[in-house]
Amino acid sequence: MSVNQKSGGFHYAYVIVIALCGIMGTACALTYNAAGVFYGPVSKALGVGKGTFAIYMSIICLAAALTLTFAGKVYAKYNARTILTTGVTVIALCFFAMSRATTVYHFYVIGAFMGACQAFLLYLAVPTMINRWFKTRTGFFLGLCSAFTGVGAMIFNPIAGKLITNSGWQSGYLTYAIVTAVIGIPCALLISNSPSDKGLKAFGDTGKVGTVTTAAPLTGISYSLALKSSFFYIALLFAFGVAFVTNINAYLPSYATSLGLTLTIGATVASASMFGNMGGKILLGYLCDKTNVVVGMAVGLGSGIIGMALMIFMGKSGVWVIMVGGFLYGFSYACNNVVVPLTIRKAFGSRDYSQIFGNVSIAAAFSSTIGASAWGFVIDGTGSYVTTLGIACGILVLAFLLGYAVVSLTKKVPHTVA
């Protein structure tokens, strides 16, 4: 279909970026990255252990993984504004329900609803909409939007902590509900399903036919062909491996304390990894744009390996060595949100991206579901954080080889138009 390109001025693609940043910084950040501050106060109030309470987060991840089996098809069939507005609204209602919960089982039920919505928000919203609205600088904007899960956590974690201290945990969840509704819902309403709905081409699309500017067709490997291919399952393993190592972050504080450092310093190490995560998302996205996804993959995963190697071999040398190690580890964490979706787009193309990436995301979500406890069992079984970090380094090496294989193998497969 031919559409007119409005030349010059402000492209609506930037509005899409702003809206996605708002959604990531509220509905997604508050669900995941700003949830831990409630674990102690809520578990104590409900009379259960922190682990028992934290099961609700595993339920969120499991529900997201199950929903991702069809979420990509929903994006392909229905309007993205409707999907995102519904998802953000339900998340806001879930936070309100949490503020009224009286048993841990209420949180388990609420978690199932939150996880189903996060399949559409955290896992698919940014890669799907950036892929639709941008033909150039996709890596940078994907990284920028994803980074706002960390920005939101930095802003709202201390706010929630103060509210919990002064007014109780119920006030914290109620504030989360209000913030999500007031910021997240209007941002979702700004979303436009595709550039053609606005009479535009995607940002950076310069395709022309004669004197009429037309939107470039979406090309790539078809969804049906992808499911029958070996490289699709290699992509699943690649995504699983990258996501699995992100769960190491939760154990950095206890690793630091095992070296005789205070818990405060241990928590700061985890914060350093989050700074690396945020900066890595933007830097790796920019790097993938300027070079290619293999370079971004090598830098991101390689930084994670170097960071954990520093902690393995030089962890006892001083606090700053561990801080630097945590920061570099954060780059491998960033690969989960930036390099993985860009690798899938590079390998499989844009034609059926939302459906293919939706299925690949199942592996990442399932990995997060089991990874948090799996690393704990590894630490308990080996009795060594050094061994655990070494295993994580090995997984990142394997992940790089799998990612490289996906990009290389798909070069030989013709990319067709739908």
Side-chain angles (χ1 to χ4, degrees):
M1 178 177 66
S2 296
V3 294
N4 295 322
Q5 171 66 47
K6 297 174 183 178
S7 59
F10 186 83
H11 197 292
Y12 199 81
Y14 291 120
V15 176
I16 299 298
V17 170
I18 294 169
L20 290 172
C21 288
I23 294 171
M24 293 298 111
T26 55
C28 298
L30 299 182
T31 298
Y32 290 97
N33 294 7
V37 69
F38 288 92
Y39 282 20
V42 178
S43 61
K44 182 178 180 180
L46 298 181
V48 299
K50 293 183 180 66
T52 301
F53 175 70
I55 289 174
Y56 94 89
M57 186 60 71
S58 294
I59 292 174
I60 288 177
C61 294
L62 179 60
L66 294 175
T67 305
L68 282 166
T69 59
F70 59 85
K73 294 180 181 179
V74 174
Y75 264 109
K77 185 175 181 180
Y78 297 101
N79 190 284
R81 178 188 294 151
T82 301
I83 295 170
L84 294 176
T85 303
T86 301
V88 174
T89 301
V90 172
I91 294 294
L93 292 173
C94 285
F95 280 130
F96 178 78
M98 284 179 165
S99 74
R100 296 293 184 266
T102 55
T103 74
V104 71
Y105 300 105
H106 290 161
F107 282 90
Y108 294 169
V109 174
I110 294 167
F113 283 97
M114 296 184 88
C117 291
Q118 290 297 348
F120 297 99
L121 301 178
L122 179 68
Y123 288 94
L124 293 184
V126 171
T128 297
M129 298 314 298
I130 295 299
N131 182 61
R132 290 181 184 179
W133 277 87
F134 289 86
K135 291 298 180 185
T136 60
R137 303 188 69 193
T138 53
F140 172 77
F141 286 113
L142 193 153
L144 176 65
C145 296
S146 298
F148 266 75
T149 57
V151 173
M154 289 176 60
I155 294 172
F156 294 111
N157 262 323
I159 293 174
K162 188 171 184 179
L163 282 169
I164 292 169
T165 301
N166 296 335
S167 305
W169 59 268
Q170 293 91 342
S171 295
Y173 279 128
L174 182 59
T175 300
Y176 277 15
I178 294 171
V179 167
T180 302
V182 171
I183 299 177
I185 294 176
C187 285
L189 291 171
L190 288 173
I191 295 292
S192 182
N193 194 55
S194 66
S196 61
D197 291 346
K198 290 287 185 180
L200 296 167
K201 296 188 293 112
F203 181 93
D205 184 352
T206 58
K208 295 183 179 181
V209 178
T211 58
V212 180
T213 303
T214 61
L218 298 179
T219 61
I221 298 171
S222 70
Y223 178 61
S224 59
L225 177 59
L227 291 182
K228 299 174 184 177
S229 66
S230 60
F231 45 79
F232 173 76
Y233 297 95
I234 295 174
L236 294 181
L237 292 174
F238 165 63
F240 183 94
V242 174
F244 198 72
V245 176
T246 64
N247 293 282
I248 285 288
N249 186 68
Y251 294 93
L252 292 183
S254 57
Y255 163 70
T257 57
S258 74
L259 298 176
L261 301 173
T262 66
L263 182 59
T264 300
I265 293 177
T268 306
V269 176
S271 296
S273 77
M274 285 295 96
F275 276 107
N277 180 24
M278 290 169 52
K281 286 175 178 177
I282 298 174
L283 179 61
L284 292 176
Y286 175 82
L287 190 60
C288 287
D289 285 340
K290 292 299 181 180
T291 56
N292 56 67
V293 293
V294 173
V295 173
M297 194 189 309
V299 171
L301 299 181
S303 295
I305 293 170
I306 293 171
M308 287 188 285
L310 283 174
M311 289 188 274
I312 291 172
F313 296 108
M314 301 178 65
K316 296 181 180 180
S317 300
V319 173
W320 289 107
V321 174
I322 302 176
M323 294 294 182
V324 172
F327 177 81
L328 291 174
Y329 158 78
F331 275 63
S332 64
Y333 199 127
C335 288
N336 191 48
N337 299 103
V338 178
V339 175
V340 171
L342 288 175
T343 299
I344 300 306
R345 184 188 183 189
K346 173 66 176 178
F348 294 91
S350 301
R351 173 179 167 168
D352 292 331
Y353 176 79
S354 62
Q355 297 179 67
I356 293 172
F357 184 68
N359 281 15
V360 172
S361 295
I362 296 171
F366 181 67
S367 177
S368 297
T369 302
I370 66 174
S373 57
W375 285 116
F377 286 123
V378 172
I379 293 170
D380 293 339
T382 63
S384 170
Y385 285 95
V386 169
T387 302
T388 303
L389 291 171
I391 293 172
C393 287
I395 292 175
L396 289 186
V397 171
L398 179 60
F400 173 78
L401 295 175
L402 291 169
Y404 181 79
V406 171
V407 174
S408 299
L409 290 172
T410 50
K411 287 180 179 178
K412 303 174 183 178
V413 182
H415 286 211
T416 58
V417 179

